[in-house]
Amino acid sequence: MNAQTSDRESGGQATEAVHTQLTNEELLRHRQLSLFTNRDAEKRALAAAVKPDSQTRLLHLTGIAGIGKSTVLTAGEDYCRRHGIVCARVNLGGQRTPETILAELFEQLAATDVALADGQTFTNGSFTRELVRLRSVRSLVQSTESASRDTRVMAAGSYAPVSQGESGVVAERVLAEVAEIVGRGDAEFLFNPGEALTRALIEDVEAWHRGDSRICLFFDQYEQAGASVDEWIRDSLFPGLSSALLVFGGRGQLTPGWTRWRSMTREIAIEPLSDRDMRLLMKKAAVQDSAIVRRIMELAAGLPLAAGIAVDLLNETGGRLELGRVQGREVVKQLVDLFLADVPQELVTWVQRAAVVRSFNEDTLLQMATDPGFDPAPVFEHLARLSITQLHARGLAIHDAVRAFLNEELKVRAPTRYADLHHRAYQYYSLLLGKGLSAEDQRELQIEQLYHQIRYDPDAGLVAIRELIESTTLLSQLELSEAVLSLATEANWSETQSLWVRYMDALVRQQRNTDNRGSAQILDEILTDPLCTDPDLRVRAAAYLAMNTWYLGDFQNAVHWADVAIDNAQRVERATGFEHIAVEAKALTQDRMGEFAEAVDTQARLLESARATGDKVAEAWGLNNLGYLKWHTGDWQQAVGHLSESRNTFEELRHPYGATYPQCHLALVHVACGRPDKARDLLHTTLEVCRERGNREIEAKCLQNLCDYWLAVGDPSQAEAAALEALGIARAFDLPFYECDTLRRLGEAHLRFNTSQAQADFTAGGNLAASMHAHYTLLRCRLGQAQAELAVGSVSPELRAALLDAARDDRQGYGELRSRVAVFTGRLSLADGAGEAADLFVEALHAASTCNAVALERCAEAIAACCADADRLDLVDDVRERWTWALTVPRTASAVELAQARIGDLRPCLAPEVILERMRGTSR
């Protein structure tokens, strides 16, 4: 039967079947419970834990596959219902995400219609209000005529855009477009509603709690929860549900992160059934022959699944059970093989078809059929009677251990039929996706669709998964990224395809922002693999590796891989987005290595490209980066212009997250120009947004800049506190350059009250900077180290020589720092009575004049102060004569205009006339 026939015959039932419960669900539950045998310890544990005064908030049932964990959970649900305890159950198999788990939990809780506080019910509580808000935002975006097709599709619930090739770039544009329509907050809520929905469900559950009972939430197949889902349950859902009991069923131990909840956790290992219980099970299954009972008991060894398959064989073969062919280990697999060989072929065919999909109902069976006029009801009911079949939210499912054996056998024995069945399943989910389902349902079905696509058309499936992960990376949908990645890692691939899977693994690791080093290692292994010849893969992997190694402070490799990406981008269509990532990484790396002029040129080309493509988001980031680079070069007037334009663009895009970057950098300029109040306000606003959105990187940068602020207003203890907090973030997230730059700031704070600690800070920061070839930061650390040494005695000859070389280095972009180094070394020369002080002071003025008026003014003041301290005011005249611009007061308007052109004007209130007048007073 083709897809069109299935759609016509099933009508609207396919849509309805996604969530409707089976008409004979209670019968199936009864069948499962009727075979439930003993498990007294588990039942007693649940009865005790569900009491409101119990200290147990998590009951973890563990055991091997087939031991009966799911049946114990079903018995637990039955206990709750019989005792009036509200409960819900979800299966974590099949790449679940928090949003889909929450939706399923809510649906079951709402079906109980239990009253909350103030007469509310689950159907009109906090969760419902958030769902209404979510659907309202989605509807507004979809009804906006100017919205692009990609925007409307992704707003409706699609994981990835329609456009292929650069999903990540498209996703960022979609996010910007949605933000223009509904605001950045609602845009982020639309694509990442999990946090708000989690809060809402917790509020509803806690509001319902009356003190005389608990809500009980069952989670089956917990071992299949991805790392992010486990983290979400552990760190968000569980802590908030103080009045609920969570019950896990899984094969393995809890992850180490659960250790802190150990006092509230009870773990029970489900053991094989005893001989007595096995006999009782056989009696319930109506197996009368004592010899057969003994043989089944001997083979099953207390494993209920094995016993159940043996009973199925007995029933389906009319009492003929040849268990002598089952020998040794892997009893379940051998029993499955025996089942395939001995039961009627028609049943084998339907078991295989049912095993291809991860869940099934009558509509699914109709799609998998080949005969016109096929009635799925009898087949469905027959499958429901088998012990290998379990209840599922969307119908039934073959036990996952048995599914694995059946699929592997079919793939080897009949690969064409195997692929065809997966193709049919893919078409079935395509039909469902065209039915206008909710976004939550769409996302569940897209996962299923991908699961089947990679099994009948691996090449197309791999591209689809890649596009999806690149899209979710840009939208910060980590749980979804991990879910989709697990689809790829579970499948079998060729060696070259496996390189793509590893690339996606690296992206997800990078997205977590806690494993940049692991991500970089994977990308490096991919790019150095002889099989990695595809320029499409190379441009992607190299671009991300360039950015990753930049974060890790491996600057030389960052430049190398950026160049590799840029080179490969010329041979790939639709690679502009990845080329932009590489160019940005290169510019930022050049900046941190102190190659400011080169960095400005690189970033300017990127900004020009972004503007040429009309990409406002890329333009905003480009302006931010260029402004930050201009700050480093000392061109503060242009820095303020670029950063202000960047912030305005982000605000126009309703992008407060992006605006935190230029705001944080603008604060630096305000501190440098004597506007601490403006800097403080900007930094506190930015810090609040960073903490709200979880942006730890820019939070660390804000704290660094707060350190600068506190130093500027004369509070080194507050500066120390800000720097220590920033240092903690840098080390926790493996950001060595942030660590280095924070140590330098910490040294500047300690220089005011703890000189010995300052020396240690500057030494540690300098060593890190040297290891990263971060020349500019290394010079700043050396200057701080020299100041600390001078405060307690004298500067070491080696350090003094290094600073003297730096003072005479006319490297472009170092003007402001070089002027300070030159003044410091000039001061040392004055103290020694050496004659080179005037040369160094003139060098300092030349360096400062390449930057801005503020730097030049401070340089002149510092020189005059050095001369006064050394009682060498005569030296001022010598310096004035040799560098007339700085200390000779212009008398004519043309001279003032010339000074303005030479020095530049940063602010209206700091006009050149004012600067030069202040210089006149200083020189006197």
Side-chain angles (χ1 to χ4, degrees), residues 202-437:
I202 288 172
E203 287 175 10
D204 287 347
V205 170
E206 295 300 295
W208 176 86
H209 178 59
R210 300 185 184 88
D212 58 348
S213 62
R214 282 175 157 180
I215 285 180
C216 192
L217 304 179
F218 296 91
F219 294 85
D220 200 0
Q221 290 190 296
Y222 197 85
E223 77 279 357
Q224 293 197 36
S228 290
V229 169
D230 173 63
E231 183 179 322
W232 163 70
I233 294 174
R234 183 185 69 230
D235 297 340
S236 297
L237 191 64
F238 179 76
L241 295 174
S242 60
S243 59
L245 172 68
L246 274 62
V247 183
F248 296 169
R251 295 182 191 173
Q253 301 300 307
L254 292 174
T255 56
W258 284 97
T259 303
R260 64 189 173 116
W261 303 116
R262 183 175 293 165
S263 63
M264 303 178 183
T265 303
R266 182 175 179 189
E267 188 167 89
I268 297 178
I270 300 180
E271 301 293 340
L273 293 174
S274 66
D275 286 350
R276 179 175 175 276
D277 292 335
M278 284 292 287
R279 289 191 183 92
L280 180 58
L281 178 63
M282 292 297 98
K283 182 178 180 181
K284 289 182 176 183
V287 180
Q288 305 293 333
D289 189 309
S290 59
I292 292 178
V293 169
R294 285 195 302 274
R295 181 57 178 145
I296 291 176
M297 288 175 55
E298 179 185 329
L299 282 176
L303 194 66
L305 177 62
I309 298 173
V311 172
D312 287 342
L313 272 166
L314 189 66
N315 293 334
E316 298 297 336
T317 58
R320 189 182 81 255
L321 189 63
E322 300 181 10
L323 294 181
R325 289 147 59 189
V326 180
Q327 302 290 335
R329 305 179 66 180
E330 293 189 323
V331 172
V332 171
K333 183 179 184 308
Q334 292 186 68
L335 286 169
V336 170
D337 290 339
L338 197 61
F339 183 94
L340 295 175
D342 289 1
V343 306
Q345 186 57 44
E346 184 180 6
L347 178 59
V348 169
T349 298
W350 279 111
V351 167
Q352 289 175 328
R353 290 172 178 175
V356 163
V357 289
R358 299 196 288 188
S359 66
F360 63 92
N361 50 39
E362 291 184 13
D363 284 347
T364 320
L365 297 179
L366 189 61
Q367 173 66 21
M368 305 298 277
T370 56
D371 302 326
F374 167 73
D375 179 9
V379 173
F380 183 79
E381 292 172 4
H382 194 158
L383 292 173
R385 291 195 297 270
L386 299 178
S387 62
I388 60 174
T389 309
Q390 299 175 321
L391 286 168
H392 190 278
R394 289 195 292 270
L396 296 175
I398 302 295
H399 190 288
D400 60 333
V402 177
R403 274 190 65 249
F405 293 139
L406 290 170
N407 276 294
E408 190 59 32
E409 192 273 344
L410 182 62
K411 183 179 178 181
V412 172
R413 180 174 296 185
T416 302
R417 182 162 166 256
Y418 172 85
D420 178 66
L421 288 174
H422 279 292
H423 189 202
R424 286 174 174 274
Y426 174 87
Q427 290 176 317
Y428 168 68
Y429 288 114
S430 297
L431 289 172
L432 288 181
L433 285 167
K435 298 289 185 179
L437 304 177

Side-chain angles (χ1 to χ4, degrees), residues 727-795:
L727 189 63
I729 296 173
R731 287 173 172 168
F733 286 85
D734 197 9
L735 302 170
F737 183 82
Y738 279 84
E739 180 180 354
C740 162
D741 214 21
T742 305
L743 285 167
R744 188 262 304 169
R745 285 175 163 89
L746 199 56
E748 290 175 358
H750 287 145
L751 201 54
R752 313 288 179 92
F753 64 91
N754 188 342
T755 308
S756 61
Q757 183 58 51
Q759 290 188 53
D761 296 332
F762 286 125
T763 299
N767 290 339
L768 260 178
S771 70
M772 293 183 285
H773 305 280
H775 303 296
Y776 182 79
T777 305
L778 174 60
L779 180 53
R780 297 192 73 171
C781 288
R782 283 176 172 170
L783 177 58
Q785 177 70 35
Q787 291 169 329
E789 289 184 5
L790 185 62
V792 295
S794 60
V795 180

Side-chain angles (χ1 to χ4, degrees), residues 772-837:
M772 293 183 285
H773 305 280
H775 303 296
Y776 182 79
T777 305
L778 174 60
L779 180 53
R780 297 192 73 171
C781 288
R782 283 176 172 170
L783 177 58
Q785 177 70 35
Q787 291 169 329
E789 289 184 5
L790 185 62
V792 295
S794 60
V795 180
S796 67
E798 297 81 11
L799 186 54
R800 184 168 176 172
L803 291 177
L804 195 58
D805 289 342
R808 292 167 174 162
D809 185 350
D810 61 354
R811 186 175 309 197
Q812 193 174 352
Y814 279 40
E816 190 271 338
L817 175 58
R818 192 161 64 87
S819 73
R820 289 193 284 124
V821 172
V823 170
F824 181 80
T825 51
R827 178 185 177 187
L828 296 179
S829 294
L830 271 180
D832 293 345
E836 60 184 349

Side-chain angles (χ1 to χ4, degrees), residues 643-663:
L643 292 171
S644 298
E645 189 179 354
S646 171
R647 182 177 61 176
N648 293 341
T649 304
F650 277 126
E651 288 175 351
E652 288 171 8
L653 294 170
R654 303 189 195 182
H655 196 327
Y657 174 88
T660 58
Y661 287 80
Q663 283 176 187

Side-chain angles (χ1 to χ4, degrees), residues 35 97 122 150 275 325 561 640 694:
L35 296 176
T97 63
F122 276 113
D150 279 323
D275 286 350
R325 289 147 59 189
W561 291 119
V640 169

